[in-house]
Amino acid sequence: MKSVLYLIRRRPGIAADETTDLMLVSGVFEQRTSVLFLDDGVYQLLGLGERQSSLKALSAYDVQDLYVAADSLASRQVSADAIELDLRIVDRHAVRQLIADHDLVLTD
Amino acid sequence: MKSVLYLIRRRPGIAADETTDLMLVSGVFEQRTSVLFLDDGVYQLLGLGERQSSLKALSAYDVQDLYVAADSLASRQVSADAIELDLRIVDRHAVRQLIADHDLVLTD
Amino acid sequence: MAVLHLLSNPDALASCLAAVAEGDSLLLIGDGVLALPLVASSKARLGVLRDDAVQRGTQLPEAAEELSYADFVSWAVACRSSVTWS
Amino acid sequence: MAVLHLLSNPDALASCLAAVAEGDSLLLIGDGVLALPLVASSKARLGVLRDDAVQRGTQLPEAAEELSYADFVSWAVACRSSVTWS
Amino acid sequence: MRINLLVQGAPFATSAQENALGFARAAVDAGHRIDRVFFYKEAVAIANRFASDDDGIRAGWAKLAAGSGFELAVCIAAASRRGIVEDGSLADGFAIVGLGQLVEAMEQGDRLVTF
Amino acid sequence: MRINLLVQGAPFATSAQENALGFARAAVDAGHRIDRVFFYKEAVAIANRFASDDDGIRAGWAKLAAGSGFELAVCIAAASRRGIVEDGSLADGFAIVGLGQLVEAMEQGDRLVTF
């Protein structure tokens, strides 16, 4: 199976949920699936306790490689402490590396 | 009739054309109609020679008070010389004044 | 009379703030509430639609008033016009 | 093998440029062509979809190649994967 | 006061519909009179009767408008582009109108709030 | 080469449809094989048969797909939310499918290009 990187760049909403649905299907089909939150996508990581979000189901579908861009958090004043998912904070060099390391890159 | 200010902030497209349609109807109904282009809205002023745009019909509908924000042009490297409409270049202080001077403000 | 600025898109924050005049009101609704941490100070009376802030996990600072929809209507009635930054 | 970056939203320019690696290709399509004057220099091979540039009144600088849709397909085939910045 | 609403935001990509409906309900509750809610641009998609309406916004509009006697006006040009047509996909409770009705709403109302 | 397309951009707010159709035509002309064009998110609105299709994009998709033998696949969940349903508003030439078909397209094709 191919490896797939999902780039999440948009704010929460139906379109974001639809991307998450697709990530879960990727997981079900046993694609190696990684997820990188950057730009406004980091807002999806906020308030996961208060709202329904299938992001919380990712690990159950074997989607466990989650990343977030450090500068996207900083420029939006989003604190990593407020995030209830287990993810790695990376810089833009790692973003280039992640894109190079996957067979396919999908965006939201 | 009331005075109406249209704030045009988006790039060209169907939604932009729909705002222009509304401005023309405002003109037909003899509302005092002003139009201010700012942010990505300044892109609507480019290439008016090459494409169909009802912006070129504004003056025929008595919509003649057209403004553009200077800093929006500058940050997008759009030259005022490339614009084929007759409009006044204003600063952000004038933006506040325009909003205060009209009965209604509509956005795109 | 004052103008009510409605910010529903955080990307429009800078333009919105530049258009706010002394005495105006600024209300963050929808995704606009995400811009709250970035509103350092404003000449305007600042409000946040409570439901939207809670839904999006936005922390409310002291400088902003929490509004219900009924309060939102009161603000709209109290201002002579409104501008939506979407 | 290189990655093809498709920029269709000028607001995504900064993120896109930061993600471009040495040897990648960057093609501006749709509203992405509006970002052309803001692409100072890039590590990537730079192209612009001709139809979209003409339609939007974008001036083409010498540093960018003008592509037809046939060229666009060739670029996509020549790269191992593509990333769309929309 | 006489208040009119202009809704332009897309049903899913934005919360314009939700915010507008919440505002309209509160305005009615506060005793204000709404003459018309005008749907334009992407917002016309709310009037598609085939859409599943999981969050009940379309039903909410129809109920509030019927109870308070205001019009749910959908711009004909924007609607026909997006596949909302009378005797086809238009939901009950919505009316297809021209842009002149929006200008009329601007003139007659004391406030126009855009979402 | 086997190329698949994923189209996600809204028909009017973006030029995703136009760019995707132009790319698909050129790919076919160059002798590549397209298995499937998958419409997801806002892009499913292109399959609304009631929409006026002034620029001929819906018709263009139907013609190209019929001529080249590929599938115009519309995600069922995204479509039902937005009022695109079989035996109702779905245009001829488009098929309602599940998300698994998109993963299949990722696996089987040599390239996947997103618009």
Side-chain angles (χ1 to χ4, degrees):
Chain A
M1 302 295 284
K2 292 187 179 170
S3 58
V4 185
L5 171 66
Y6 287 89
L7 286 190
I8 308 298
R9 296 188 52 249
R10 296 183 199 281
R11 299 189 288 268
I14 297 279
D17 294 346
E18 290 177 330
T19 302
T20 311
D21 290 344
L22 180 55
M23 297 189 295
L24 298 180
V25 176
S26 272
V28 169
F29 277 73
E30 297 183 341
Q31 293 182 313
R32 178 165 72 81
T33 304
S34 306
V35 185
L36 167 63
F37 296 88
L38 72 168
D39 301 338
D40 277 355
V42 303
Y43 287 130
Q44 300 207 24
L45 303 169
L46 288 178
L48 287 176
E50 278 84 47
R51 60 192 170 86
Q52 285 203 322
S53 168
S54 36
L55 282 180
K56 289 178 280 190
L58 284 175
S59 62
Y61 288 78
D62 274 329
V63 180
Q64 280 157 337
D65 293 320
L66 309 182
Y67 306 86
V68 59
D71 57 348
S72 300
L73 289 174
S75 65
R76 285 163 188 77
Q77 300 194 21
V78 172
S79 157
D81 300 338
I83 300 175
E84 298 171 37
L85 284 179
D86 188 22
L87 30 74
R88 248 169 296 171
I89 301 179
V90 298
D91 62 13
R92 294 278 166 161
H93 172 74
V95 171
R96 292 192 288 277
Q97 204 55 55
L98 280 168
I99 291 173
D101 283 350
H102 288 78
D103 296 320
L104 291 167
V105 184
L106 272 83
T107 43
D108 63 348
Chain B
M1 302 295 285
K2 292 185 180 171
S3 59
V4 185
L5 172 66
Y6 288 89
L7 287 189
I8 308 298
R9 297 188 51 251
R10 295 184 201 282
R11 298 188 289 269
I14 297 279
D17 295 346
E18 289 176 331
T19 302
T20 310
D21 290 345
L22 180 56
M23 297 188 296
L24 298 180
V25 176
S26 273
V28 169
F29 277 75
E30 298 185 339
Q31 293 181 315
R32 179 166 72 81
T33 305
S34 307
V35 185
L36 167 63
F37 296 87
L38 71 168
D39 301 338
D40 278 355
V42 304
Y43 286 129
Q44 301 207 22
L45 303 168
L46 287 178
L48 288 175
E50 279 84 48
R51 59 189 171 88
Q52 284 204 324
S53 168
S54 36
L55 282 180
K56 288 178 278 191
L58 284 175
S59 62
Y61 287 78
D62 274 330
V63 180
Q64 282 158 339
D65 293 321
L66 309 183
Y67 306 85
V68 61
D71 57 348
S72 300
L73 289 174
S75 65
R76 284 163 189 78
Q77 299 195 22
V78 172
S79 156
D81 301 337
I83 300 175
E84 298 171 36
L85 284 179
D86 187 23
L87 29 74
R88 248 170 293 173
I89 302 178
V90 298
D91 62 14
R92 295 279 168 161
H93 172 74
V95 172
R96 292 192 289 277
Q97 204 54 54
L98 280 168
I99 291 173
D101 283 349
H102 288 78
D103 296 320
L104 291 167
V105 184
L106 273 84
T107 43
D108 63 347
Chain C
M1 230 173 136
V3 172
L4 172 61
H5 296 264
L6 298 173
L7 181 79
S8 63
N9 178 354
D11 296 335
L13 178 67
S15 269
C16 171
L17 289 178
V20 166
E22 198 75 43
D24 283 352
S25 297
L26 169 57
L27 175 58
L28 312 186
I29 65 173
D31 282 351
V33 304
L34 297 170
L36 189 56
L38 308 173
V39 186
S41 71
S42 158
K43 285 170 285 192
R45 183 175 180 187
L46 180 63
V48 181
L49 193 60
R50 187 188 302 120
D51 292 2
D52 289 340
V54 170
Q55 205 179 23
R56 288 164 182 78
T58 306
Q59 304 267 326
L60 292 168
E62 290 174 25
E65 301 173 45
E66 285 182 52
L67 274 70
S68 65
Y69 274 105
D71 301 325
F72 181 1
V73 171
S74 303
W75 280 35
V77 167
C79 293
R80 68 179 286 270
S81 67
S82 63
V83 185
T84 300
W85 302 87
S86 59
Chain D
M1 230 174 134
V3 172
L4 172 61
H5 296 264
L6 297 173
L7 181 78
S8 63
N9 178 354
D11 297 335
L13 178 66
S15 268
C16 172
L17 289 179
V20 167
E22 197 77 41
D24 283 354
S25 296
L26 168 58
L27 175 58
L28 312 185
I29 66 172
D31 281 351
V33 304
L34 297 170
L36 188 56
L38 308 173
V39 186
S41 71
S42 158
K43 283 171 287 192
R45 183 176 180 185
L46 180 63
V48 181
L49 194 59
R50 187 190 301 124
D51 292 3
D52 289 340
V54 170
Q55 206 180 23
R56 287 163 182 80
T58 305
Q59 304 268 327
L60 292 168
E62 288 172 28
E65 300 173 46
E66 285 181 52
L67 274 70
S68 65
Y69 275 104
D71 301 326
F72 180 2
V73 171
S74 304
W75 281 33
V77 167
C79 293
R80 66 180 288 271
S81 67
S82 65
V83 185
T84 300
W85 302 87
S86 60
Chain E
M1 243 184 203
R2 294 175 69 173
I3 304 179
N4 289 297
L5 277 67
L6 168 61
V7 191
Q8 301 190 126
F12 298 109
T14 77
S15 63
Q17 298 283 346
E18 197 182 322
N19 289 141
L21 180 57
F23 181 92
R25 279 186 182 133
V28 167
D29 287 347
H32 298 294
R33 169 172 157 195
I34 294 180
D35 291 315
R36 184 173 290 147
V37 178
F38 194 96
F39 297 88
Y40 196 34
K41 300 184 189 171
E42 300 299 334
V44 301
I46 196 68
N48 184 334
R49 72 180 175 90
F50 293 113
S52 54
D53 197 35
D54 297 333
D55 44 14
I57 289 181
R58 187 174 73 235
W61 278 125
K63 190 178 165 198
L64 184 67
S68 318
F70 64 79
E71 187 183 51
L72 299 172
V74 181
C75 169
I76 183 165
S80 109
R81 246 175 230 125
R82 294 172 180 83
I84 316 293
V85 296
E86 250 168 335
D87 302 323
S89 46
L90 185 72
D92 289 344
F94 291 80
I96 301 272
V97 305
L99 270 182
Q101 302 287 313
L102 174 54
V103 174
E104 198 183 285
M106 294 184 203
E107 289 297 326
Q108 292 177 344
D110 301 303
R111 294 287 180 276
L112 177 76
V113 184
T114 303
F115 291 89
Chain F
M1 245 186 199
R2 293 176 71 174
I3 303 179
N4 290 298
L5 277 68
L6 167 61
V7 191
Q8 301 190 126
F12 299 110
T14 77
S15 63
Q17 297 283 347
E18 198 182 322
N19 288 142
L21 179 58
F23 181 91
R25 279 186 183 134
V28 168
D29 286 347
H32 298 294
R33 170 172 158 194
I34 295 180
D35 290 316
R36 184 173 288 146
V37 177
F38 194 96
F39 297 89
Y40 196 33
K41 301 187 188 169
E42 301 299 334
V44 301
I46 196 68
N48 184 334
R49 71 180 175 92
F50 294 114
S52 53
D53 196 36
D54 296 332
D55 45 14
I57 290 180
R58 187 175 74 236
W61 278 125
K63 191 180 164 197
L64 184 67
S68 318
F70 63 80
E71 186 184 52
L72 299 172
V74 181
C75 170
I76 184 164
S80 109
R81 245 174 230 126
R82 295 174 180 83
I84 316 293
V85 296
E86 249 167 336
D87 303 323
S89 46
L90 185 71
D92 290 343
F94 291 81
I96 301 273
V97 305
L99 270 182
Q101 301 289 313
L102 174 54
V103 174
E104 198 183 285
M106 294 183 203
E107 289 297 325
Q108 292 177 343
D110 300 303
R111 294 288 180 275
L112 177 77
V113 184
T114 303
F115 290 89

